[in-house]
Amino acid sequence: MDGFELSKLSDCVSDPDRLIWADLTNPSHQTLQALADELELDPWAVEDVVAEAERVKATVYRHHTFMTVYAVSYATPEAPNREADPLVLARISIFVRGNALITIHDDSIFDAQAVVERWQEIGMQQYGVGALLHGLLDVVVDGHFDAVQTLDDQIEGLEGLLFDQRGGRAGLQRATYALRKDLVRLRRVVLPMREVVGSIERRRMSGESPKELDPMWSDLYDHTLRVAEWTESLRDMVTTVFETNLSLQDARLNTVMKKLTGWAGIIAVPTAITGFFGQNVPYPGFNHWSGFLVSTVLIIVMMIGLYAVFKRRDWI
C-alpha cells in the first residue's frame, strides 16, 4: 500500500483482516536493515538480496519464506529503443511472512502495476497473500513465455536463411551465436522456476491454505513446465542451426573446390601445350607497344570479370 510505514509491519503481519504488500525499489542499506529488524528476517536471506548474480530459489526460514526470481524482457531487432543486449533480466527478491508480501527489485523492467491488475483479474483478494503471490509469479512466468516466444521466432528466421541460395548469410553464424548465448542466460532463470513454484505448491497442499487457489497454482506450475520444455527444445534447435550452417559451409566449399578444379583442368590443357612447344606466334601488335597494352588490358578485364563471377556465386 502507498504511504505505509515499515515500522508498522510487525503489528500487521498477524492480522487476518489486513493484507500488506511492500514493494521496495532500490532500497538503501539502512532501509533493508530496518526491514530485517522489523520482521526478524534471517541475515542470510537479507544478504542474498544484495548479493551479485543470485540464483533462482525458494528457501523456508523459521519466520518467513524467501524467494529469488527474475523478470525477463527480450526485445526484437525491430523494436524501438532496443538496447545492445536484447535480453534484460531483473531480479526480484520476495519475502513472505504471515499476511505480508515484501518485494525488492530495481527499476528496470518489473511493473508492479501489472501484478495488481492480474491480482484483481482473478478475483481472489479474499484469499490473502497466497493470491497476491500467485499474481506476482504469474506475471513473471508470462514474461518468460514472451521471451521464449520471441527467441523461437528469431531462430525460425535463422532457419529460413540456412538454405537461401541468394547469399547474404555472412552474419548468420554471428546471429546464431548471439541467440545461443541469450538462450543460455534465459535457461538459467527459467528452469529453476519449476522447483520454486513446485515447492510453494507442495507446502500449500500440506498446510491450511485456501483450497480455492489450488487449481490456479497447479496451472501456474504447468506453465513453468511448458516454458522449461520449450526452452530445452529451443536449445536443441539453435544447436542444430549452428551445426547445420557449418556443415553447409563445408559442403559449399567442396562444391566450389570441384568447380575451380574443373576450370583449372580446362585452362591447363592449352597452357601446357603452348608451353611445351614454346609457341609464340605473331598476333596483332606483335613486337609493338600496342600489343603489350592490349594484353595488359585483357588480363585486367578478365581478372575483374572472374572476380565478379566468383563473388556473385559466393565462391570467394
Side-chain angles (χ1 to χ4, degrees), residues 12-277:
C12 303
V13 292
S14 300
D15 188 349
D17 297 327
R18 292 189 178 184
L19 176 61
I20 307 299
W21 179 19
D23 184 53
L24 307 180
T25 303
N26 293 323
S28 63
H29 177 75
Q30 292 77 8
T31 301
L32 283 178
Q33 189 60 48
L35 178 66
D37 295 339
E38 181 68 18
L39 295 180
E40 299 180 357
L41 302 180
D42 190 275
W44 294 109
V46 177
E47 182 179 347
D48 288 341
V49 174
V50 297
E52 294 291 336
E54 188 63 26
R55 66 182 182 88
V56 177
K57 64 180 181 180
T59 307
V60 179
Y61 293 94
R62 180 180 179 184
H63 298 297
H64 62 87
T65 300
F66 173 73
M67 286 168 279
T68 300
V69 298
Y70 283 83
V72 176
S73 174
Y74 191 89
T76 61
E78 299 80 12
N81 301 324
R82 184 176 186 262
E83 300 292 339
D85 186 359
L87 181 64
V88 180
L89 306 178
R91 182 171 65 181
I92 307 172
S93 301
I94 305 170
F95 291 95
V96 180
R97 179 175 179 183
N99 63 341
L101 177 71
I102 296 92
T103 53
I104 302 172
H105 57 88
D106 59 19
D107 57 354
S108 56
I109 61 172
F110 177 66
D111 184 9
Q113 184 59 34
V115 179
V116 175
E117 294 174 357
R118 184 66 54 86
W119 182 50
Q120 293 174 346
E121 285 176 3
I122 63 178
M124 296 288 184
Q125 293 87 341
Q126 67 271 28
Y127 297 114
V129 70
L132 182 58
L133 179 61
H134 175 274
L136 171 62
L137 296 181
D138 196 27
V139 169
V140 171
V141 173
D142 283 352
H144 296 173
F145 253 110
D146 294 339
V148 174
Q149 176 66 64
T150 304
L151 276 170
D152 193 356
D153 295 339
Q154 297 292 312
I155 294 174
E156 288 183 358
L158 292 181
E159 290 177 336
L161 293 176
L162 274 177
F163 300 97
D164 187 358
Q165 300 297 329
R166 295 171 299 176
R169 298 186 298 146
L172 179 61
Q173 197 76 4
R174 179 177 299 179
T176 305
Y177 179 78
L179 284 177
R180 190 177 184 181
K181 182 176 66 174
D182 291 339
L183 189 58
V184 169
R185 292 175 57 204
L186 180 62
R187 183 173 177 269
R188 291 174 182 171
V189 302
V190 165
L191 295 188
M193 284 297 294
R194 297 177 298 183
E195 298 300 325
V196 171
V197 177
S199 64
I200 297 173
E201 187 179 22
R202 289 191 295 269
R203 284 180 56 82
R204 291 188 69 263
M205 292 182 176
S206 62
E208 300 179 356
S209 301
K211 300 304 179 183
E212 290 80 0
L213 294 178
D214 289 351
M216 301 173 58
W217 280 99
S218 298
D219 183 68
L220 179 61
Y221 182 69
D222 179 67
H223 286 181
T224 60
L225 289 179
R226 289 171 56 192
V227 174
E229 293 171 357
W230 198 355
T231 305
E232 289 295 301
S233 66
L234 289 185
R235 186 177 67 161
D236 295 338
M237 287 175 59
V238 75
T239 300
T240 301
V241 171
F242 194 85
E243 294 175 349
T244 302
N245 188 37
L246 292 178
S247 299
L248 289 176
Q249 287 183 353
D250 291 339
R252 291 175 61 250
L253 178 60
N254 291 334
T255 301
V256 171
M257 291 300 298
K258 288 190 296 184
K259 291 181 179 181
L260 291 179
T261 302
W263 281 108
I266 294 173
I267 297 173
V269 173
T271 303
I273 293 175
T274 56
F276 180 79
F277 287 97

